[in-house]
Amino acid sequence: MADLSGLAPRVMCLGEALVDRLGPLGGDPVTAAPEACDDRLGGAPANVACALARLGTPVGLVGRLGEDAIGSAFRDVFQQRGVAVQALQRDVSHPSRVVLVRRDTNGERVFQGFAGDHALGFADQMLNRDELEAVWPMVSKQARWLLVGTIPLATPTSADSLRWLLAQAQAASLALAVDVNWRPTFWDPEADPAAGPTADALALIKPLLEQASLIKLAREEALWFFGSDDPAAVAKDLPQQPDVVVTDGANPIRWLIEHEAGSMPVFQPSQVIDTTGAGDAFTAGLLHCWDRPVNERLSFASACGALVCSGAGAIDPQPREQDVRTFLNR
């Protein structure tokens, strides 16, 4: 594995690092026996950071974890992968988040609630702006991209920190990549996991989308947020005309990148154990090879997503660049 420890981050990822508690295939993680569940480190920004590091891109994570076993496990894996953690905050009052994930017999998942906060809230919701202000000038010097999702906007404290960071990124001409990653349960624990965004959530998320240079979203997210799954229509609906990539599970990817529209079939994994983190691996692959020709970017990203599906959890199965090249040359 490449040693990234001495390299300034090229990508800064902001957001949640948490545990996905995977229920047994076809079962319920709420009622299943503990030994039947599989706890895996996850959270979209943490997944992308770990995937980028394994591919060889210098990367850092802005986030907040509890002083607990989950926080310790994450700090270990970040050290092993070479993810820069100067902007990773420690919270002694709030625990790291556990997400309950129901999986059907094909490995497809639904996020259905949380465990572990005892009504106190989770550490990722408490991302502290003052702490961030103190370290950001140092950690962002060589950054080219800031990657964020929408989940930090669901809580006032983390939303304030995110909005401050967006202003810093804009002032420094740092490219903003947004993975929409709409998860209604994070906004309302009682919400239907399949529900679209409310009017209030749309209003909070709109400024984020209007600053993005690159937006990656699933087809259903494109329909919810823009009323169309056509990347060109999504880009036209925003003042800055961003690059847009729309994924749709096993169906073809569609994109508008550098004013070039296209689509391609996705690569199918040899086996599907768990689809958690496939979209995050895709995003990491895309940013990792952003300077390459458009078709190569999309093929590489698709291969990253397919390879992650063949193992459990979002982080452990992430490929190295050579793994992706072997897959593409098979």
Side-chain angles (χ1 to χ4, degrees):
M1 183 184 300
D3 182 5
L4 307 180
S5 58
L7 300 178
R10 193 175 87 192
V11 181
M12 293 300 300
C13 301
L14 180 147
E16 64 279 0
L18 46 78
V19 159
D20 291 316
R21 179 159 294 163
L22 309 175
L25 293 178
D28 187 342
V30 176
T31 58
E35 60 272 17
C37 295
D38 188 7
D39 282 4
R40 296 283 174 164
L41 301 183
N47 293 343
V48 173
C50 287
L52 281 167
R54 179 161 271 183
L55 289 169
T57 289
V59 60
L61 182 71
V62 180
R64 191 173 180 91
L65 282 162
E67 286 282 26
D68 48 29
I70 295 172
S72 178
F74 266 112
R75 285 185 282 272
D76 286 346
V77 78
F78 293 150
Q79 181 178 24
Q80 293 163 11
R81 290 285 177 96
V83 176
V85 293
Q86 292 91 335
L88 181 62
Q89 302 173 4
R90 295 170 179 255
D91 193 317
V92 298
S93 302
H94 302 89
S96 306
R97 194 190 300 247
V98 175
V99 181
L100 303 174
V101 183
R102 183 193 289 265
R103 295 183 293 168
D104 67 20
T105 53
N106 295 318
E108 292 293 336
R109 80 274 190 248
V110 173
F111 300 95
Q112 64 173 61
F114 311 108
D117 73 329
H118 307 295
L120 298 173
F122 294 103
D124 65 272
Q125 298 174 297
M126 308 300 169
L127 184 66
N128 185 281
R129 174 174 164 175
D130 291 340
E131 292 183 40
L132 183 54
E133 288 184 18
V135 300
W136 181 249
M138 175 185 67
V139 302
S140 63
K141 283 183 179 179
Q142 301 300 319
R144 177 180 172 186
W145 287 95
L146 172 64
L147 170 81
V148 303
T150 59
I151 286 173
L153 292 171
T155 308
T157 301
S158 56
D160 177 64
S161 297
L162 173 55
R163 282 191 284 265
W164 178 84
L165 194 55
L166 292 175
Q168 306 311 303
Q170 192 166 42
S173 300
L174 189 63
L176 176 66
V178 175
D179 180 355
V180 172
N181 195 34
W182 170 250
R183 298 287 182 260
T185 311
F186 284 79
W187 296 73
D188 176 5
E190 303 303 319
D192 180 346
T198 63
D200 288 344
L202 285 169
L204 289 170
I205 293 168
K206 183 178 179 182
L208 180 65
L209 300 174
E210 290 179 344
Q211 188 176 328
S213 301
L214 167 66
I215 298 176
K216 179 259 180 186
L217 66 176
R219 179 176 179 269
E220 62 269 21
E221 293 169 340
L223 294 172
W224 282 328
F225 283 86
F226 297 98
S228 173
D229 60 0
D230 179 358
V234 172
K236 188 177 180 180
D237 201 37
L238 292 166
Q240 78 282 23
Q241 303 282 291
D243 294 328
V244 177
V245 178
V246 177
T247 60
D248 187 17
N251 297 312
I253 304 160
R254 302 174 67 190
W255 71 83
L256 181 77
I257 297 177
E258 298 171 4
H259 307 292
E260 175 186 341
S263 67
M264 63 168 284
V266 298
F267 294 110
Q268 299 300 318
S270 55
Q271 60 176 340
V272 177
I273 300 298
D274 176 20
T275 62
T276 303
D280 303 326
F282 177 96
T283 301
L286 195 61
L287 292 176
H288 173 70
C289 57
W290 189 255
D291 293 332
R292 302 176 194 175
V294 173
N295 281 336
E296 185 175 341
R297 295 178 216 174
L298 274 299
S299 294
F300 189 97
S302 177
C304 288
L307 286 165
V308 163
C309 292
S310 62
I315 293 177
D316 287 346
Q318 289 170 342
R320 297 169 176 82
E321 171 137 2
Q322 185 54 50
D323 300 327
V324 181
R325 294 197 174 279
T326 299
F327 180 87
L328 291 171
N329 292 329
R330 59 184 177 166

PDB file of all heavy atoms in Angstrom, residues 2 19 28 48 83 99 105 119 151 155 166 187 202 216 239 249 253 259 272 282 292 313 317:
ATOM      1  N   ALA A   2       0.498   2.261  -0.796  1.00  0.00           N
ATOM      2  CA  ALA A   2       1.253   3.494  -0.838  1.00  0.00           C
ATOM      3  C   ALA A   2       1.206   4.199   0.514  1.00  0.00           C
ATOM      4  O   ALA A   2       0.183   4.193   1.189  1.00  0.00           O
ATOM      5  CB  ALA A   2       0.696   4.414  -1.925  1.00  0.00           C
ATOM      6  N   VAL A  19     -21.067   3.255  12.396  1.00  0.00           N
ATOM      7  CA  VAL A  19     -21.128   1.809  12.221  1.00  0.00           C
ATOM      8  C   VAL A  19     -22.442   1.427  11.558  1.00  0.00           C
ATOM      9  O   VAL A  19     -23.523   1.863  11.976  1.00  0.00           O
ATOM     10  CB  VAL A  19     -20.994   1.081  13.579  1.00  0.00           C
ATOM     11  CG1 VAL A  19     -21.552  -0.347  13.502  1.00  0.00           C
ATOM     12  CG2 VAL A  19     -19.529   1.025  14.005  1.00  0.00           C
ATOM     13  N   ASP A  28     -34.157  -8.833  10.528  1.00  0.00           N
ATOM     14  CA  ASP A  28     -34.310  -7.497  11.094  1.00  0.00           C
ATOM     15  C   ASP A  28     -33.213  -7.263  12.136  1.00  0.00           C
ATOM     16  O   ASP A  28     -33.136  -8.000  13.125  1.00  0.00           O
ATOM     17  CB  ASP A  28     -35.693  -7.385  11.754  1.00  0.00           C
ATOM     18  CG  ASP A  28     -36.005  -5.974  12.233  1.00  0.00           C
ATOM     19  OD1 ASP A  28     -35.069  -5.173  12.376  1.00  0.00           O
ATOM     20  OD2 ASP A  28     -37.198  -5.685  12.470  1.00  0.00           O
ATOM     21  N   VAL A  48     -15.690   7.135   1.532  1.00  0.00           N
ATOM     22  CA  VAL A  48     -14.995   7.726   0.393  1.00  0.00           C
ATOM     23  C   VAL A  48     -13.538   8.012   0.754  1.00  0.00           C
ATOM     24  O   VAL A  48     -12.624   7.754  -0.043  1.00  0.00           O
ATOM     25  CB  VAL A  48     -15.702   9.011  -0.083  1.00  0.00           C
ATOM     26  CG1 VAL A  48     -14.886   9.710  -1.166  1.00  0.00           C
ATOM     27  CG2 VAL A  48     -17.095   8.690  -0.614  1.00  0.00           C
ATOM     28  N   VAL A  83      -5.304   8.027   5.997  1.00  0.00           N
ATOM     29  CA  VAL A  83      -6.227   9.156   5.938  1.00  0.00           C
ATOM     30  C   VAL A  83      -5.779  10.210   6.950  1.00  0.00           C
ATOM     31  O   VAL A  83      -5.584   9.898   8.126  1.00  0.00           O
ATOM     32  CB  VAL A  83      -7.666   8.712   6.248  1.00  0.00           C
ATOM     33  CG1 VAL A  83      -8.617   9.908   6.284  1.00  0.00           C
ATOM     34  CG2 VAL A  83      -8.141   7.688   5.224  1.00  0.00           C
ATOM     35  N   VAL A  99     -25.956   2.679  12.874  1.00  0.00           N
ATOM     36  CA  VAL A  99     -27.097   2.680  11.960  1.00  0.00           C
ATOM     37  C   VAL A  99     -27.570   1.247  11.766  1.00  0.00           C
ATOM     38  O   VAL A  99     -26.768   0.342  11.487  1.00  0.00           O
ATOM     39  CB  VAL A  99     -26.717   3.279  10.589  1.00  0.00           C
ATOM     40  CG1 VAL A  99     -27.927   3.299   9.662  1.00  0.00           C
ATOM     41  CG2 VAL A  99     -26.168   4.682  10.751  1.00  0.00           C
ATOM     42  N   THR A 105     -32.710 -10.635   0.842  1.00  0.00           N
ATOM     43  CA  THR A 105     -31.953 -11.850   0.534  1.00  0.00           C
ATOM     44  C   THR A 105     -30.955 -11.650  -0.599  1.00  0.00           C
ATOM     45  O   THR A 105     -30.068 -12.477  -0.799  1.00  0.00           O
ATOM     46  CB  THR A 105     -32.919 -12.993   0.163  1.00  0.00           C
ATOM     47  OG1 THR A 105     -33.796 -12.550  -0.885  1.00  0.00           O
ATOM     48  CG2 THR A 105     -33.753 -13.402   1.374  1.00  0.00           C
ATOM     49  N   ALA A 119     -30.821   8.980  23.630  1.00  0.00           N
ATOM     50  CA  ALA A 119     -31.514  10.276  23.511  1.00  0.00           C
ATOM     51  C   ALA A 119     -30.587  11.476  23.721  1.00  0.00           C
ATOM     52  O   ALA A 119     -31.053  12.595  23.904  1.00  0.00           O
ATOM     53  CB  ALA A 119     -32.700  10.357  24.464  1.00  0.00           C
ATOM     54  N   ILE A 151     -26.152  14.939   4.872  1.00  0.00           N
ATOM     55  CA  ILE A 151     -26.527  14.556   6.228  1.00  0.00           C
ATOM     56  C   ILE A 151     -26.123  15.586   7.289  1.00  0.00           C
ATOM     57  O   ILE A 151     -26.894  15.835   8.227  1.00  0.00           O
ATOM     58  CB  ILE A 151     -25.994  13.150   6.555  1.00  0.00           C
ATOM     59  CG1 ILE A 151     -26.838  12.100   5.804  1.00  0.00           C
ATOM     60  CG2 ILE A 151     -26.022  12.851   8.052  1.00  0.00           C
ATOM     61  CD1 ILE A 151     -26.331  10.680   5.901  1.00  0.00           C
ATOM     62  N   THR A 155     -28.763  18.567  11.196  1.00  0.00           N
ATOM     63  CA  THR A 155     -28.629  18.964  12.593  1.00  0.00           C
ATOM     64  C   THR A 155     -28.025  20.360  12.654  1.00  0.00           C
ATOM     65  O   THR A 155     -27.033  20.630  11.966  1.00  0.00           O
ATOM     66  CB  THR A 155     -27.716  17.976  13.348  1.00  0.00           C
ATOM     67  OG1 THR A 155     -28.190  16.645  13.131  1.00  0.00           O
ATOM     68  CG2 THR A 155     -27.711  18.266  14.833  1.00  0.00           C
ATOM     69  N   LEU A 166     -18.137  25.646   3.658  1.00  0.00           N
ATOM     70  CA  LEU A 166     -18.476  25.945   2.270  1.00  0.00           C
ATOM     71  C   LEU A 166     -18.020  27.349   1.879  1.00  0.00           C
ATOM     72  O   LEU A 166     -17.532  27.572   0.757  1.00  0.00           O
ATOM     73  CB  LEU A 166     -19.979  25.797   2.045  1.00  0.00           C
ATOM     74  CG  LEU A 166     -20.550  24.374   2.128  1.00  0.00           C
ATOM     75  CD1 LEU A 166     -22.067  24.418   2.012  1.00  0.00           C
ATOM     76  CD2 LEU A 166     -19.951  23.491   1.040  1.00  0.00           C
ATOM     77  N   TRP A 187     -32.821  12.718   9.102  1.00  0.00           N
ATOM     78  CA  TRP A 187     -33.540  13.972   9.309  1.00  0.00           C
ATOM     79  C   TRP A 187     -34.697  13.793  10.282  1.00  0.00           C
ATOM     80  O   TRP A 187     -35.031  14.697  11.036  1.00  0.00           O
ATOM     81  CB  TRP A 187     -34.052  14.498   7.964  1.00  0.00           C
ATOM     82  CG  TRP A 187     -32.947  14.858   7.025  1.00  0.00           C
ATOM     83  CD1 TRP A 187     -32.125  13.991   6.342  1.00  0.00           C
ATOM     84  CD2 TRP A 187     -32.508  16.170   6.674  1.00  0.00           C
ATOM     85  NE1 TRP A 187     -31.215  14.683   5.588  1.00  0.00           N
ATOM     86  CE2 TRP A 187     -31.435  16.026   5.766  1.00  0.00           C
ATOM     87  CE3 TRP A 187     -32.933  17.447   7.021  1.00  0.00           C
ATOM     88  CZ2 TRP A 187     -30.767  17.128   5.216  1.00  0.00           C
ATOM     89  CZ3 TRP A 187     -32.279  18.537   6.469  1.00  0.00           C
ATOM     90  CH2 TRP A 187     -31.204  18.374   5.584  1.00  0.00           C
ATOM     91  N   LEU A 202     -35.359  20.326   1.473  1.00  0.00           N
ATOM     92  CA  LEU A 202     -34.987  20.858   0.152  1.00  0.00           C
ATOM     93  C   LEU A 202     -34.423  22.266   0.269  1.00  0.00           C
ATOM     94  O   LEU A 202     -33.424  22.607  -0.373  1.00  0.00           O
ATOM     95  CB  LEU A 202     -36.196  20.848  -0.775  1.00  0.00           C
ATOM     96  CG  LEU A 202     -36.622  19.489  -1.345  1.00  0.00           C
ATOM     97  CD1 LEU A 202     -37.983  19.608  -2.026  1.00  0.00           C
ATOM     98  CD2 LEU A 202     -35.581  18.975  -2.323  1.00  0.00           C
ATOM     99  N   LYS A 216     -23.052  13.987  -7.621  1.00  0.00           N
ATOM    100  CA  LYS A 216     -23.320  12.578  -7.871  1.00  0.00           C
ATOM    101  C   LYS A 216     -24.589  12.218  -7.108  1.00  0.00           C
ATOM    102  O   LYS A 216     -24.712  12.499  -5.905  1.00  0.00           O
ATOM    103  CB  LYS A 216     -22.137  11.722  -7.410  1.00  0.00           C
ATOM    104  CG  LYS A 216     -22.343  10.209  -7.603  1.00  0.00           C
ATOM    105  CD  LYS A 216     -22.726   9.582  -6.308  1.00  0.00           C
ATOM    106  CE  LYS A 216     -22.937   8.078  -6.472  1.00  0.00           C
ATOM    107  NZ  LYS A 216     -23.448   7.459  -5.223  1.00  0.00           N
ATOM    108  N   PRO A 239     -27.492  27.252 -11.334  1.00  0.00           N
ATOM    109  CA  PRO A 239     -26.863  28.413 -11.969  1.00  0.00           C
ATOM    110  C   PRO A 239     -25.439  28.178 -12.443  1.00  0.00           C
ATOM    111  O   PRO A 239     -25.000  28.791 -13.415  1.00  0.00           O
ATOM    112  CB  PRO A 239     -26.910  29.481 -10.866  1.00  0.00           C
ATOM    113  CG  PRO A 239     -27.038  28.722  -9.582  1.00  0.00           C
ATOM    114  CD  PRO A 239     -27.833  27.507  -9.919  1.00  0.00           C
ATOM    115  N   GLY A 249     -28.344   1.897  -9.544  1.00  0.00           N
ATOM    116  CA  GLY A 249     -28.162   0.502  -9.179  1.00  0.00           C
ATOM    117  C   GLY A 249     -27.463  -0.282 -10.273  1.00  0.00           C
ATOM    118  O   GLY A 249     -26.382   0.093 -10.732  1.00  0.00           O
ATOM    119  N   ILE A 253     -25.211   3.964 -15.937  1.00  0.00           N
ATOM    120  CA  ILE A 253     -24.861   5.283 -15.410  1.00  0.00           C
ATOM    121  C   ILE A 253     -25.086   6.308 -16.514  1.00  0.00           C
ATOM    122  O   ILE A 253     -24.794   6.057 -17.692  1.00  0.00           O
ATOM    123  CB  ILE A 253     -23.374   5.314 -15.003  1.00  0.00           C
ATOM    124  CG1 ILE A 253     -23.060   4.217 -13.995  1.00  0.00           C
ATOM    125  CG2 ILE A 253     -22.985   6.683 -14.457  1.00  0.00           C
ATOM    126  CD1 ILE A 253     -21.587   3.884 -13.936  1.00  0.00           C
ATOM    127  N   HIS A 259     -19.576  19.242 -20.315  1.00  0.00           N
ATOM    128  CA  HIS A 259     -20.575  19.476 -21.365  1.00  0.00           C
ATOM    129  C   HIS A 259     -20.733  18.283 -22.318  1.00  0.00           C
ATOM    130  O   HIS A 259     -21.339  18.414 -23.372  1.00  0.00           O
ATOM    131  CB  HIS A 259     -20.233  20.744 -22.166  1.00  0.00           C
ATOM    132  CG  HIS A 259     -20.028  21.954 -21.312  1.00  0.00           C
ATOM    133  ND1 HIS A 259     -21.057  22.551 -20.613  1.00  0.00           N
ATOM    134  CD2 HIS A 259     -18.905  22.655 -21.018  1.00  0.00           C
ATOM    135  CE1 HIS A 259     -20.578  23.586 -19.934  1.00  0.00           C
ATOM    136  NE2 HIS A 259     -19.285  23.662 -20.154  1.00  0.00           N
ATOM    137  N   VAL A 272     -22.780 -10.794  -5.081  1.00  0.00           N
ATOM    138  CA  VAL A 272     -23.238  -9.677  -4.271  1.00  0.00           C
ATOM    139  C   VAL A 272     -23.428 -10.164  -2.841  1.00  0.00           C
ATOM    140  O   VAL A 272     -24.341 -10.934  -2.555  1.00  0.00           O
ATOM    141  CB  VAL A 272     -24.554  -9.076  -4.813  1.00  0.00           C
ATOM    142  CG1 VAL A 272     -25.040  -7.964  -3.888  1.00  0.00           C
ATOM    143  CG2 VAL A 272     -24.358  -8.524  -6.223  1.00  0.00           C
ATOM    144  N   PHE A 282     -17.737   4.131  -5.785  1.00  0.00           N
ATOM    145  CA  PHE A 282     -17.877   4.748  -7.108  1.00  0.00           C
ATOM    146  C   PHE A 282     -17.394   6.198  -7.061  1.00  0.00           C
ATOM    147  O   PHE A 282     -16.608   6.643  -7.912  1.00  0.00           O
ATOM    148  CB  PHE A 282     -19.340   4.684  -7.558  1.00  0.00           C
ATOM    149  CG  PHE A 282     -19.610   5.356  -8.874  1.00  0.00           C
ATOM    150  CD1 PHE A 282     -19.642   4.624 -10.043  1.00  0.00           C
ATOM    151  CD2 PHE A 282     -19.844   6.722  -8.947  1.00  0.00           C
ATOM    152  CE1 PHE A 282     -19.886   5.243 -11.274  1.00  0.00           C
ATOM    153  CE2 PHE A 282     -20.084   7.352 -10.154  1.00  0.00           C
ATOM    154  CZ  PHE A 282     -20.113   6.611 -11.322  1.00  0.00           C
ATOM    155  N   ARG A 292      -8.360  11.944 -15.910  1.00  0.00           N
ATOM    156  CA  ARG A 292      -8.309  11.031 -17.057  1.00  0.00           C
ATOM    157  C   ARG A 292      -9.490  11.288 -17.992  1.00  0.00           C
ATOM    158  O   ARG A 292     -10.423  12.004 -17.640  1.00  0.00           O
ATOM    159  CB  ARG A 292      -8.318   9.581 -16.551  1.00  0.00           C
ATOM    160  CG  ARG A 292      -7.167   9.281 -15.604  1.00  0.00           C
ATOM    161  CD  ARG A 292      -7.244   7.867 -15.042  1.00  0.00           C
ATOM    162  NE  ARG A 292      -6.340   7.717 -13.907  1.00  0.00           N
ATOM    163  CZ  ARG A 292      -6.251   6.622 -13.155  1.00  0.00           C
ATOM    164  NH1 ARG A 292      -7.019   5.572 -13.421  1.00  0.00           N
ATOM    165  NH2 ARG A 292      -5.406   6.573 -12.137  1.00  0.00           N
ATOM    166  N   GLY A 313     -19.745  -5.067   4.289  1.00  0.00           N
ATOM    167  CA  GLY A 313     -19.371  -3.749   4.758  1.00  0.00           C
ATOM    168  C   GLY A 313     -18.891  -2.861   3.637  1.00  0.00           C
ATOM    169  O   GLY A 313     -18.702  -3.292   2.493  1.00  0.00           O
ATOM    170  N   PRO A 317     -13.887  -4.259   1.780  1.00  0.00           N
ATOM    171  CA  PRO A 317     -13.697  -4.785   0.426  1.00  0.00           C
ATOM    172  C   PRO A 317     -13.170  -3.753  -0.587  1.00  0.00           C
ATOM    173  O   PRO A 317     -13.040  -4.082  -1.770  1.00  0.00           O
ATOM    174  CB  PRO A 317     -15.114  -5.230   0.008  1.00  0.00           C
ATOM    175  CG  PRO A 317     -15.995  -5.055   1.197  1.00  0.00           C
ATOM    176  CD  PRO A 317     -15.321  -4.059   2.076  1.00  0.00           C
TER     177      PRO A 317
END
